[in-house]
Amino acid sequence: MNSSLAWLEHGDFVTKATAVLLLGMSVASWVVIVWKAWLMRRARADVPHCTALVWQAASLNAASTQLQGVDRDALVRPMVDAAVVATRQSASTLAGQGSRSQQLTRMLRDALHAALKRLQFGQVLLATVGSTAPFVGLLGTVWGIYHALTAMAGGGQVTIERLAGPVGEALIMTAAGLAVAIPAVLAYNVYGRLLGALESHLEGFAHDLRELLAGDAAVSTAAVDE
């Protein structure tokens, strides 16, 4: 370990920059992994509970009130609030023109996309780290081996004993790249499956809410209020 650190300490700018980059990628990916584990745990509990509360409420306003403090990550309540606004849209504005179905579709879509954006945050970083970290580590390995061979060639005869140490130390960069990439790839795949289930649930809720309100041509403010 000490010899490996000494090799890194005496490395040039490329070697040190590669090591720092891998360290930064590892820290960033683990921060996202831990944060998304916390977010997914809350979302998987909140989304089914919140949608059930909405369907059990007497009105949209009542549902919005009941979701306060329950929808901790604002995944369901914004869609309920968007539906309330859509039913009260003034025809004097461009947003208020068009059929009730069009207004509901637009506002529910915007609220749904905002919720999905919060859930998907960090996925791009995990995918980027998982796909690039092995190549960053490989770059450090190739660069380290090149300099090790250059130094030994200038010092006389190259033997397997003299070659094994520096090359073995350089290969640590490849192992570091894999150590950074593997957790990111695993987390990306696991969270991708959880996100897919949550996305289907939220999309189904938005669709059902739109169909409920758009299907009633007599929807009015009185029907929204308690």
Side-chain angles (χ1 to χ4, degrees):
M1 182 66 178
N2 292 334
S3 62
S4 300
L5 293 177
W7 166 78
L8 180 61
E9 181 180 353
H10 294 93
D12 60 5
F13 173 78
V14 175
T15 301
K16 294 180 179 179
T18 302
V20 170
L21 179 58
L22 286 175
L23 178 61
M25 294 170 73
S26 179
V27 171
S29 63
W30 275 108
V31 168
V32 170
I33 289 171
V34 173
W35 175 77
K36 286 191 72 73
W38 172 77
L39 176 64
M40 290 293 105
R41 182 175 179 272
R42 285 162 54 111
R44 293 179 69 195
D46 289 353
V47 169
H49 180 53
C50 290
T51 54
L53 284 178
V54 172
W55 297 125
Q56 294 169 7
S59 67
L60 289 178
N61 278 348
S64 180
T65 301
Q66 292 178 13
L67 291 179
Q68 292 182 7
V70 179
D71 189 11
R72 294 173 289 182
D73 297 297
L75 301 175
V76 177
R77 188 184 176 194
M79 286 189 281
V80 175
D81 293 340
V84 173
V85 173
T87 59
R88 295 175 171 175
Q89 197 72 258
S90 173
S92 62
T93 64
L94 185 62
Q97 297 178 11
S99 67
R100 178 60 48 79
S101 177
Q102 291 173 333
Q103 296 176 36
L104 284 169
T105 298
R106 175 175 55 81
M107 301 197 73
L108 286 173
R109 181 186 62 235
D110 292 343
L112 175 63
H113 287 175
L116 295 179
K117 185 177 181 180
R118 284 191 290 275
L119 290 174
Q120 293 169 354
F121 180 82
Q123 287 293 99
V124 173
L125 185 142
L126 293 177
T128 302
V129 171
S131 61
T132 60
F135 297 102
V136 174
L138 184 60
L139 171 63
T141 296
V142 172
W143 193 260
I145 291 175
Y146 166 74
H147 279 278
L149 293 175
T150 302
M152 285 186 294
Q157 183 179 6
V158 177
T159 62
I160 190 62
E161 290 79 8
R162 294 184 59 193
L163 184 63
V167 171
E169 293 170 6
L171 288 173
I172 293 176
M173 296 296 288
T174 298
L178 293 175
V180 172
I182 291 174
V185 172
L186 292 176
Y188 176 83
N189 291 333
V190 171
Y191 294 148
R193 292 191 61 183
L194 297 178
L195 281 170
L198 288 171
E199 182 176 352
S200 297
H201 197 130
L202 290 172
E203 286 181 347
F205 172 74
H207 177 269
D208 292 342
L209 187 60
R210 175 194 172 279
E211 291 298 309
L212 174 67
L213 298 176
D216 185 0
V219 171
S220 63
T221 300
V224 176
D225 293 332
E226 293 182 356

